[in-house]
Amino acid sequence: AKKCGYRGYKELIFQCEKTLADRKKDASERSRVALETYQELLNKTYSLLDEAQVGRICRYLGQTARVFVCGMGSSGLAAREMEWRFMRIGVDITSILDSDLIRMRSVFQKSGNLVIGISISGEREEVLYLLKEAYRNKSRTILITASRQESFRDFCNEIVLVPSLRCLNRGNLISPQFPVLLMQDIIYSI
């Protein structure tokens, strides 16, 4: 204990116990902040929820021969999850996560398809390109985003707004996928 700079064994034990208590306090604080952030996301999702829109999207999913869902990064992971979930209930759905494949798939979009793009920022060029091309070829298009750009209306039949973590000022405690997955759960449940 003295070689570590303490006056004796009792002081060493006291400092160790104090450090452990502080760590428990810090962990408790981080847990509280994370849970509060989740609650805030849930509240914002509820305020953004358009139940009539969710009903229309459910009808599109039920009436469409082929569904394509795309995204990049964490939005791509949410697209993959959407494929796995909706495939279980009989939806012919394919997720596209690669930028080159997204561009290639845009050529094959046609009337009767449903294309869902996921871009929290609303700035992923590949996702927007697929939606534009699909819309031009008479496919139905849906964008899931946190961005409120009026220009999306030029090539999207539906714009599903989800809350953004950037607006919450809570750091990177929560995965950016959470709001998208929450919206998918709402659609899936109906």
Side-chain angles (χ1 to χ4, degrees), residues 36-87:
E36 286 175 356
T37 304
Y38 273 113
Q39 187 61 54
E40 195 166 351
L41 281 169
L42 287 169
N43 293 341
K44 285 186 175 281
T45 299
Y46 184 73
S47 69
L48 291 171
L49 184 63
D50 179 346
E51 292 184 22
Q53 181 183 54
V54 171
R56 287 190 304 272
I57 292 169
C58 289
R59 281 193 300 280
Y60 297 161
L61 286 166
Q63 299 168 350
T64 302
R66 296 280 324 260
V67 179
F68 296 93
V69 58
C70 71
M72 303 287 297
S74 61
S75 295
L77 296 173
R80 175 69 44 89
E81 174 66 19
M82 187 172 192
E83 175 187 17
W84 290 340
R85 298 242 3 236
F86 285 81
M87 190 183 304

Side-chain angles (χ1 to χ4, degrees), residues 13 25 35 39 57 75 95 134 140 148 161 164 182:
I13 295 300
K25 183 179 175 184
L35 291 171
Q39 187 61 54
I57 292 169
S75 295
S95 61
R140 283 203 172 127
R148 293 178 183 254
L161 291 174
S164 170
L182 186 57

Side-chain angles (χ1 to χ4, degrees), residues 162-173:
V162 294
S164 170
L165 292 173
R166 285 178 290 176
C167 299
L168 295 176
N169 298 323
R170 296 285 192 180
N172 293 324
L173 292 173

Side-chain angles (χ1 to χ4, degrees), residues 21-32:
D22 289 346
R23 283 191 181 165
K24 285 182 182 177
K25 183 179 175 184
D26 288 346
S28 175
E29 177 66 17
R30 285 191 298 267
S31 298
R32 186 186 60 73

Side-chain angles (χ1 to χ4, degrees), residues 54-190:
V54 171
R56 287 190 304 272
I57 292 169
C58 289
R59 281 193 300 280
Y60 297 161
L61 286 166
Q63 299 168 350
T64 302
R66 296 280 324 260
V67 179
F68 296 93
V69 58
C70 71
M72 303 287 297
S74 61
S75 295
L77 296 173
R80 175 69 44 89
E81 174 66 19
M82 187 172 192
E83 175 187 17
W84 290 340
R85 298 242 3 236
F86 285 81
M87 190 183 304
R88 288 186 211 134
I89 59 172
V91 175
D92 184 1
I93 185 169
T94 302
S95 61
I96 315 165
L97 314 166
D98 178 77
S99 62
D100 292 330
L101 284 175
I102 290 172
R103 288 200 173 272
M104 285 187 264
R105 283 286 188 173
S106 66
V107 175
F108 300 107
Q109 298 310 311
K110 59 184 179 184
S111 178
N113 287 352
L114 173 62
V115 178
I116 302 170
I118 303 172
S119 175
I120 301 295
S121 68
E123 297 175 358
R124 284 311 293 223
E125 182 183 326
E126 300 89 341
V127 172
L128 299 178
Y129 179 80
L130 176 61
L131 290 169
K132 288 174 185 175
E133 290 300 305
Y135 187 82
R136 191 175 60 77
N137 290 322
K138 308 284 189 258
S139 294
R140 283 203 172 127
T141 56
I142 299 171
L143 175 61
I144 300 174
T145 186
S147 179
R148 293 178 183 254
Q149 293 183 31
E150 279 300 312
S151 61
F152 295 152
R153 300 221 178 274
D154 296 339
F155 56 90
C156 293
N157 298 104
E158 301 285 345
I159 300 165
V160 179
L161 291 174
V162 294
S164 170
L165 292 173
R166 285 178 290 176
C167 299
L168 295 176
N169 298 323
R170 296 285 192 180
N172 293 324
L173 292 173
I174 307 300
S175 167
Q177 298 170 19
F178 178 73
V180 176
L181 295 174
L182 186 57
M183 187 57 66
Q184 286 179 19
D185 286 344
I186 292 168
I187 294 168
Y188 187 82
S189 70
I190 295 175

